[in-house]
Amino acid sequence: MAWDEWEQLKADAKADGATRMQLNHLADPVGGGGTSTYGDLKVSNGDLAAIGKEAHSLYDQLWNKARVAQPTSESAAGDLAKQGFTLGKGLKHVAQRWDDQLRSLLDACAQISNHMHVTKKIHSGDDGYIGRQMSSIDTLDAGFDDRAGEQGRKNPVYHPKKKD
């Protein structure tokens, strides 16, 4: 884009008045071609399980392939230091830092994996619970529906007229 074109775009934007944001497109938020007013967030148990599985797989790979054999590194560092090489102290420091960082990464992977499993269990019944609550509210609302009787009078559904 040429500098003159950029300046022209800025001038056009100022001429429009208020600053505003415009999206190029909106992904289909509800899956049916409609639009959502609130921007629905949808995550299935399968998605959570897949994330947890990947985190667990990464943990296993790090455990199997990234661990430095601690006794070997420490003995090599000790041998180098005994022979008067400064490299021994450096090797020991690097091995300890590597181990500390690896432990932090392993803990993070384990935490992600565990969190996904717990989240899946905690929220597995939420949709059903919300549906049950909403249907009971509809039933309750029906009892207060003004169309069932005159406004201000008792609902005849609950207080039928007595026969003489």
Side-chain angles (χ1 to χ4, degrees):
M1 176 183 317
W3 188 256
D4 294 335
E5 185 180 0
W6 174 246
E7 291 299 324
Q8 181 62 43
L9 289 171
K10 289 188 340 188
D12 291 346
K14 278 186 182 179
D16 283 347
T19 305
R20 63 177 194 248
M21 179 187 291
Q22 179 179 347
L23 297 175
N24 288 338
H25 71 284
L26 175 65
D28 185 6
V30 291
T35 59
S36 173
T37 309
Y38 304 108
D40 298 333
L41 173 63
K42 183 178 180 181
V43 178
S44 69
N45 283 342
D47 295 333
L48 296 175
I51 293 168
K53 183 180 177 186
E54 288 300 319
H56 185 61
S57 174
L58 178 59
Y59 178 94
D60 288 342
Q61 289 177 33
L62 288 169
W63 180 260
N64 293 329
K65 298 175 183 174
R67 284 184 305 146
V68 175
Q70 198 64 16
T72 305
S73 299
E74 287 180 7
S75 65
D79 285 345
L80 288 169
K82 284 179 189 175
Q83 295 176 30
F85 291 102
T86 312
L87 182 62
K89 189 176 180 181
L91 177 60
K92 183 176 181 177
H93 174 76
V94 168
Q96 286 174 340
R97 291 289 295 158
W98 177 266
D99 192 47
D100 291 343
Q101 295 297 319
L102 181 60
R103 264 192 253 136
S104 294
L105 189 55
L106 287 169
D107 288 345
C109 289
Q111 189 173 11
I112 290 168
S113 178
N114 292 339
H115 182 71
M116 292 300 110
H117 290 293
V118 169
T119 300
K120 186 171 73 168
K121 286 179 183 175
I122 288 173
H123 296 293
S124 63
D126 285 353
D127 285 339
Y129 174 77
I130 291 168
R132 288 190 305 276
Q133 294 302 315
M134 295 305 290
S135 66
S136 65
I137 290 171
D138 289 342
T139 304
L140 184 61
D141 282 347
F144 292 103
D145 192 350
D146 290 336
R147 293 173 291 177
E150 276 185 61
Q151 190 171 359
R153 304 233 182 224
K154 292 182 178 182
N155 190 328
V157 172
Y158 300 110
H159 303 282
K161 291 183 181 181
K162 295 181 181 178
K163 293 185 181 180
D164 293 330

